[in-house]
Amino acid sequence: ILLKTHFEDGALVQEGQLLFSIDAREYRAQVNNARAQVASAEANLYRALQDVARYKPLLADEAIARQVYDNAVAAASQAQAQVDRALMSTYTSEAEIDLARDRALEHHKLAIKGAETRAKAVDANLAELNGRIAVLEKAGKPISSNLKDRLDQAINESLELKRLILKNEEAMVSVREKYTADKARFKV
């Protein structure tokens, strides 16, 4: 639905100038519907692939009929085609797929950046605590349980931050793989 025209009929316009404003609610609803169809199709595909994986060893042991396995393979192929069709209605161009990928990656990038910033502070705290412990040990003085607890807490936090960074890096690889596969299917 056209909301507003931003130029006069017959007027010269500049490159990049806003010409029209449209009501994007219908478009957004269509995109959300298409995304829901993709999610549903992906869930069906996941289930179908699980069936194939479950039936394959049973077929090898002759615990199921060949027809059961063949039906599962056909269902997986149909589910893949359903995902592909749903993807085609979600994206209008490869550039749109790239934008969707970049938006999906941004969350993980921010999580990594935050964890790295916090890790620097924790590492500085660890160095300071280890320095204090070294001074006490050199002087032959006992290390208080409070200092030991603070050191353990800092070590645990450092390990947790490293796990968080690794988890988000792995998620970024998965996101890139997903959108690369989407792009390949979109080209077909």
Side-chain angles (χ1 to χ4, degrees):
I1 297 173
L2 184 62
L3 295 177
K4 186 174 182 184
T5 302
H6 298 278
F7 67 94
E8 295 293 325
D9 282 342
L12 291 176
V13 294
Q14 302 296 319
E15 183 178 335
Q17 177 182 341
L18 180 63
L19 301 177
F20 302 101
S21 294
I22 62 169
D23 184 354
R25 289 179 293 186
E26 184 178 333
Y27 173 74
R28 284 190 195 111
Q30 289 173 356
V31 168
N32 289 337
N33 183 39
R35 286 182 179 151
Q37 289 175 356
V38 170
S40 175
E42 286 176 338
N44 290 338
L45 175 60
Y46 178 75
R47 183 186 45 75
L49 291 173
Q50 282 183 317
D51 288 346
V52 170
R54 189 173 31 253
Y55 293 157
K56 190 171 187 173
L58 296 174
L59 178 66
D61 294 340
E62 297 182 0
I64 62 167
R66 176 76 188 185
Q67 185 64 43
V68 172
Y69 177 75
D70 289 346
N71 287 345
V73 170
S77 294
Q78 269 186 319
Q80 181 64 62
Q82 183 184 18
V83 168
D84 293 344
R85 278 191 307 277
L87 279 172
M88 294 299 273
S89 68
T90 302
Y91 301 119
T92 59
S93 69
E94 289 183 41
E96 193 173 318
I97 295 171
D98 291 340
L99 286 172
R101 177 203 60 218
D102 293 346
R103 282 192 302 270
L105 289 172
E106 192 61 30
H107 163 75
H108 299 294
K109 288 178 183 177
L110 290 173
I112 289 170
K113 187 174 183 176
E116 287 172 341
T117 300
R118 179 67 186 140
K120 287 179 186 177
V122 170
D123 289 346
N125 186 34
L126 274 171
E128 188 265 332
L129 290 170
N130 282 323
R132 288 176 60 188
I133 289 171
V135 167
L136 290 172
E137 287 176 338
K138 187 174 183 181
K141 295 183 179 179
I143 300 165
S144 71
S145 62
N146 181 34
L147 190 56
K148 288 179 186 177
D149 289 345
R150 288 176 53 202
L151 180 65
D152 288 343
Q153 185 179 20
I155 289 170
N156 289 336
E157 185 176 3
S158 177
L159 292 173
E160 187 59 36
L161 288 167
K162 288 176 183 171
R163 280 193 285 274
L164 179 65
I165 290 168
L166 181 61
K167 177 183 169 189
N168 278 281
E169 288 172 342
E170 289 170 349
M172 288 176 71
V173 169
S174 295
V175 165
R176 285 187 184 103
E177 289 172 352
K178 178 202 179 304
Y179 284 96
T180 298
D182 286 358
K183 209 172 184 179
R185 289 196 305 268
F186 183 79
K187 288 180 183 179
V188 173

